Amino acid sequence: MKKLILNIFLIFFISASAQQIPKIVRSEIIHYENNLIVTNRNYYDNNLDSDLNFTKIVVDSTLDRPWGISCEDLDGDGDVDIVISQNHGVNSLTHKIDWYENIGNFEFIPHNILVTDVYDIFQVNVVDLDNDSDMDIVFVSFGSGGIGLNVLTNDGQMNFTKSMISPNIHWKFEVIDINQDGLLDIVGNNNTYATTIYWVEQNSDHTFTSHLIDNDCGDAYGIDVVDLDSDNDLDIVQGAVNTYDDLYWYENDGNEVFTKHFIDTDIQDPLDLICEDIDSDGDVDIVVPHTQFFFQVNCDGMKMMEISSLFTTLSQIR
């Protein structure tokens, strides 16, 4: 069975009982070509060094080309729900966003949110975009009803209204308050019609203004937003695929004016990337999926050191 996407998230169940029962459940959502699967590994909080045992639970076996996925408490009832998009070609009617309501014990009830006017919904992100204490859904898609970056705004009763945020972002994006004004913004790229990257500012009236960062960034793909140089503002790390094979970062001067710096000009197809302090030395590292499964660039005081062939199997990472 072909695996299209694997997303990992954490759920913490804290038991009120003093009995020796599992107090932490770490779960994985894996979505395959036609299945949405939850696997969980249970262990005791006083025996964290024991072997991890997995149990696979099929949530839905009828998915039609699943693509985007996000796991958050969408309905505000205190547990983690699943939001997923399905796409099956431009001429198919199966282009929709579904959410799976978590009712406990790894049982989920499916609900459809959006069916018409869009296709190829590449990414979904569940977040309270408008600061009204309920969760909205930000997504990118193609189609006559909303090509670009869109939001499904929640009215607080799980009724969603679709509106356009920006036509300039068609691919990967991050929802983050990049200008640190208390309102969530979006940073994203477009490798479909132009090789561009934008940040989209949320204004105080919850309208949005697009700001071009770079109009020559190659076939933009993987992206992350992080304070890479530890100067208390947010920078952008991005990869470019195909003939570019570049990894670079945009330095924020503190006023959202960005300067581009190349990290690596020979990194094959950086389709995604994550910025974390992998080696716990106080600075930010970059992990990039690569032909050798993972390719790590270690940032030690902004000196980049390439470390390849670190991991060859998933079990070594885990």
Side-chain angles (χ1 to χ4, degrees):
M1 182 181 297
K2 180 181 178 183
K3 184 186 295 184
L4 291 181
I5 297 176
L6 183 146
N7 284 64
I8 299 177
F9 73 108
L10 302 181
I11 312 175
F12 294 95
F13 294 96
I14 306 300
S15 172
S17 171
Q19 298 177 357
Q20 187 74 353
I21 60 175
K23 294 187 178 180
I24 300 176
V25 179
R26 180 175 292 175
S27 305
E28 293 178 331
I29 295 290
I30 304 174
H31 76 92
Y32 292 89
E33 187 164 351
N34 292 305
N35 293 278
L36 177 61
I37 296 172
V38 176
T39 67
N40 70 82
R41 53 195 184 192
N42 300 327
Y43 48 84
Y44 300 110
D45 64 341
N46 61 353
N47 192 22
L48 297 181
D49 292 330
S50 61
D51 292 336
L52 300 177
N53 298 310
F54 291 82
T55 301
K56 181 172 73 174
I57 302 166
V58 177
V59 177
D60 191 342
S61 60
T62 64
L63 299 184
D64 193 0
R65 197 184 176 205
W67 198 276
I69 188 169
S70 184
C71 301
E72 297 288 346
D73 183 8
L74 183 64
D75 55 4
D77 64 352
D79 52 31
V80 176
D81 308 298
I82 304 168
V83 176
I84 192 168
S85 65
Q86 299 183 60
N87 314 279
H88 204 276
V90 174
N91 297 319
S92 173
L93 297 177
T94 309
H95 304 285
K96 58 183 181 177
I97 295 175
D98 294 306
W99 76 278
Y100 292 81
E101 180 183 0
N102 188 345
I103 59 173
N105 297 317
F106 288 97
E107 296 182 5
F108 297 85
I109 299 174
H111 304 271
N112 177 244
I113 300 174
L114 179 68
V115 178
T116 61
D117 294 334
V118 296
Y119 60 85
D120 284 351
I121 307 168
F122 291 117
Q123 183 179 342
V124 292
N125 193 319
V126 176
V127 64
D128 183 7
L129 188 64
D130 52 6
N131 286 339
D132 64 349
S133 301
D134 55 42
M135 302 300 278
D136 311 299
I137 302 172
V138 182
F139 68 96
V140 287
S141 72
F142 295 94
S144 59
I147 182 169
L149 182 70
N150 297 268
V151 61
L152 290 167
T153 302
N154 189 346
D155 68 356
Q157 302 298 318
M158 301 300 291
N159 301 308
F160 294 89
T161 302
K162 178 169 67 72
S163 58
M164 172 71 71
I165 296 176
S166 172
N168 298 310
I169 297 175
H170 299 168
W171 200 236
K172 297 290 187 76
F173 67 88
E174 294 288 327
V175 180
I176 193 168
D177 182 10
I178 194 167
N179 59 355
Q180 302 181 61
D181 65 349
L183 297 171
L184 288 173
D185 312 298
I186 300 101
V187 178
N189 54 40
N190 175 6
N191 74 352
T192 307
Y193 302 118
T195 56
T196 55
I197 179 172
Y198 285 82
W199 78 277
V200 181
E201 179 181 7
Q202 183 171 185
N203 305 309
S204 58
D205 61 354
H206 303 301
T207 60
F208 295 88
T209 303
S210 293
H211 304 275
L212 177 66
I213 296 173
D214 188 359
N215 62 1
D216 186 22
C217 57
D219 285 344
Y221 232 92
I223 190 170
D224 203 358
V225 180
V226 66
D227 184 7
L228 191 64
D229 53 3
S230 301
D231 64 350
N232 297 315
D233 55 37
L234 292 171
D235 311 297
I236 303 167
V237 181
Q238 181 167 277
V241 301
N242 297 328
T243 59
Y244 297 92
D245 292 339
D246 293 330
L247 181 65
Y248 41 84
W249 71 287
Y250 295 93
E251 180 182 3
N252 189 347
D253 71 350
N255 295 298
E256 290 66 63
V257 176
F258 295 90
T259 302
K260 185 177 183 178
H261 304 278
F262 282 87
I263 298 171
D264 195 323
T265 57
D266 187 25
I267 180 169
Q268 185 175 352
D269 289 342
L271 298 176
D272 208 347
L273 58 91
I274 297 174
C275 297
E276 295 285 351
D277 184 7
I278 299 297
D279 51 4
S280 300
D281 65 349
D283 54 31
V284 178
D285 311 303
I286 306 168
V287 181
V288 186
H290 187 253
T291 53
Q292 295 175 328
F293 191 76
F294 266 81
F295 184 99
Q296 179 175 335
V297 177
N298 189 323
C299 314
D300 184 7
M302 293 312 299
K303 179 180 180 181
M304 306 298 178
M305 179 175 63
E306 179 178 306
I307 306 174
S308 60
S309 302
L310 276 179
F311 306 114
T312 56
T313 66
L314 185 59
S315 61
Q316 285 177 274
I317 296 177
R318 187 187 66 197

